[in-house]
Amino acid sequence: MQVEALASGSATPSDLTRSALKQADDRADLNAFVSLDPDIVLEQAKASDARRSAGKPLSPIDGVPIAIKDNYLTRDFPTTACSKALPRAANGVDATVVANLRAAGAIIFGKTNMHEWAFGATNTTSSIGPTRNPHNADHITGGSSGGSAAAVAAGIVGAALGSDTGGSVRIPSGACGVYGFKPTYGRASRFGVLPLSWSLDAPGPIARSLDDLTLLLPYFLGADPNDASTAQAKPFEDQPAPDTPRILNLVGKGLERSEEIDLAVRNALGRAKASVEDAEIPDMRSFFAAWEAILHVEASSYHEKLLADEPAAFTSVTRAHLEAGRQITATEAMHAQKLRARFIELLLNDLGDWDALALPTLPVPAPRHGDDRQNFGGRDVTTQDSMTWFCWPGNLAGLPCISLPVGTSTNGLPIGMMLMGRPGKDERLLNIARQFDKSG
């Protein structure tokens, strides 16, 4: 995020901001931004210039441009969730994470494109059209935080905010070759982040390195009186990783992947000083169905009134998801919650002692725009399902998760690996990830 350049004085906040504005203009083809006002961001940069000149920066990230996903409330930019159902003007309110970053002097650099209402993993359903992958514009970014990942991967900004309900931070991070972190459920405030599913959602950062994630996480983690789920949340504190962490590489039925993806992950796991074993989870289809049921029921509940009053305000794809959620019975929803409890028990206890669980972030490299189905490991699934193939367990169990780039496919697209940690051990997971990282 160029904090060293700011600290040394070799670059000013205005320098970084003007460069980011030029990059955003040069890469307008990516369709990464929903709203971006040069006057607003340059005004912030000038205030940061003055603090830096006086030797009184508010934090190491004072003056760093950070892009914001369009489902975070921002006091100076409108928030639309990339849906025509929500033409919401700026109302002077910041989401807690945005307020934390602003208080640290970060430059709130516009709003990024996303899958409508975060209800999708491709970033192709949006009021402003699809986002394109910086590595190859013919391919998708993944979603729902696709605009944020594209903006970081293209070098427009050093970091961006995303939200994650079934992988929406990690999926585009993996597809675009950057780093994405989903905190433990309840450690990061969701206040001011428009919900998709209350019990699955988590805000998270996307950045170009693990060091940048380390700089950002303190502004995410900790208690917030506006979000009761964070009442017991601890602030960021270093948690050293074991000298030889025990990693379980999850494989088996329901966790298929393409051969080149599997090879890249196994090579990454083999590079580190770690104890790595394969492990299987039984009945993955039932647990996936439980995650889907909870997601759809909670999303339909949130949108109930608007869906009843103005169904045409949603795209046909999003409306179909919401209508499906209305068909799930109370008995089915309770059964899904029972399965969720069993899944958590299985991961945390039945698998024995582990420090991290490993999976590819995606089973295939980023698909092409217009490709509706993906084939891998003997499976044929929709592109939507393929994007969430490995990420949903972290949300169903509320675990901290990280995606980091570990290779390149034969067609030149990034390959990501995901690690999941034990609840509340976010900082420990970050340090474990350093064993597998090639950016440092």
Side-chain angles (χ1 to χ4, degrees), residues 239-326:
Q239 299 172 352
D243 291 337
T244 307
R246 182 167 187 246
I247 312 294
L248 298 185
N249 181 35
L250 300 184
V251 296
K253 193 172 183 180
L255 294 173
E256 296 87 355
R257 72 289 308 263
S258 70
E259 289 185 10
E260 69 174 340
I261 296 287
D262 185 62
L263 180 60
V265 169
R266 289 188 180 277
N267 285 342
L269 291 172
R271 284 195 297 265
K273 182 185 175 185
S275 170
V276 180
E277 305 170 35
D278 285 354
E280 294 192 27
I281 298 176
D283 205 17
M284 288 295 286
R285 286 189 179 183
S286 294
F287 296 128
F288 175 77
W291 167 75
E292 274 202 314
I294 294 166
L295 166 62
H296 280 75
V297 165
E298 292 186 357
S300 295
S301 174
Y302 177 73
H303 291 286
E304 182 179 15
K305 187 176 188 306
L306 185 58
L307 184 62
D309 294 346
E310 299 181 59
F314 300 95
T315 61
S316 59
V317 174
T318 302
R319 188 166 64 250
H321 283 305
L322 296 174
E323 292 288 1
R326 298 171 78 178

Side-chain angles (χ1 to χ4, degrees), residues 394-419:
N395 300 85
L396 188 63
L399 306 181
C401 307
I402 186 170
S403 175
L404 60 159
V406 294
T408 305
S409 70
T410 53
N411 60 348
L413 292 166
I415 294 174
M417 181 176 78
M418 181 176 62
L419 297 173

Side-chain angles (χ1 to χ4, degrees), residues 100-323:
N100 291 346
L101 292 169
R102 202 187 292 275
I107 294 165
I108 306 306
F109 190 83
K111 307 297 285 289
T112 56
N113 196 356
M114 58 180 283
H115 204 108
E116 182 184 29
W117 280 108
F119 214 154
T122 62
N123 233 87
T124 56
T125 301
S126 165
S127 59
I128 67 165
T131 315
R132 301 193 175 276
N133 196 307
H135 295 272
N136 186 326
D138 292 332
H139 291 253
I140 67 173
T141 59
S144 62
S145 310
S148 288
V152 173
I156 298 171
V157 291
L161 304 192
S163 63
D164 193 309
T165 309
S168 286
V169 164
R170 293 161 284 154
I171 291 163
S173 294
C176 294
V178 291
Y179 297 74
F181 195 96
K182 182 199 87 69
T184 297
Y185 181 83
R187 276 203 76 186
S189 175
R190 295 162 299 138
F191 175 76
V193 185
L194 301 176
L196 175 58
S197 174
W198 295 283
S199 70
L200 299 169
D201 293 344
I206 296 172
R208 278 186 260 175
S209 73
L210 287 179
D211 286 343
D212 288 345
L213 288 181
T214 303
L215 281 170
L216 291 170
L217 275 177
Y219 304 103
F220 283 80
L221 304 183
D224 175 15
N226 292 313
D227 181 351
S229 72
T230 68
Q232 304 301 316
K234 294 181 179 179
F236 183 90
E237 57 183 4
D238 191 38
Q239 299 172 352
D243 291 337
T244 307
R246 182 167 187 246
I247 312 294
L248 298 185
N249 181 35
L250 300 184
V251 296
K253 193 172 183 180
L255 294 173
E256 296 87 355
R257 72 289 308 263
S258 70
E259 289 185 10
E260 69 174 340
I261 296 287
D262 185 62
L263 180 60
V265 169
R266 289 188 180 277
N267 285 342
L269 291 172
R271 284 195 297 265
K273 182 185 175 185
S275 170
V276 180
E277 305 170 35
D278 285 354
E280 294 192 27
I281 298 176
D283 205 17
M284 288 295 286
R285 286 189 179 183
S286 294
F287 296 128
F288 175 77
W291 167 75
E292 274 202 314
I294 294 166
L295 166 62
H296 280 75
V297 165
E298 292 186 357
S300 295
S301 174
Y302 177 73
H303 291 286
E304 182 179 15
K305 187 176 188 306
L306 185 58
L307 184 62
D309 294 346
E310 299 181 59
F314 300 95
T315 61
S316 59
V317 174
T318 302
R319 188 166 64 250
H321 283 305
L322 296 174
E323 292 288 1

Side-chain angles (χ1 to χ4, degrees), residues 367-379:
R368 296 176 67 90
H369 285 278
D371 286 354
D372 295 329
R373 303 194 71 82
Q374 302 299 314
N375 295 278
F376 52 86
R379 301 297 293 269

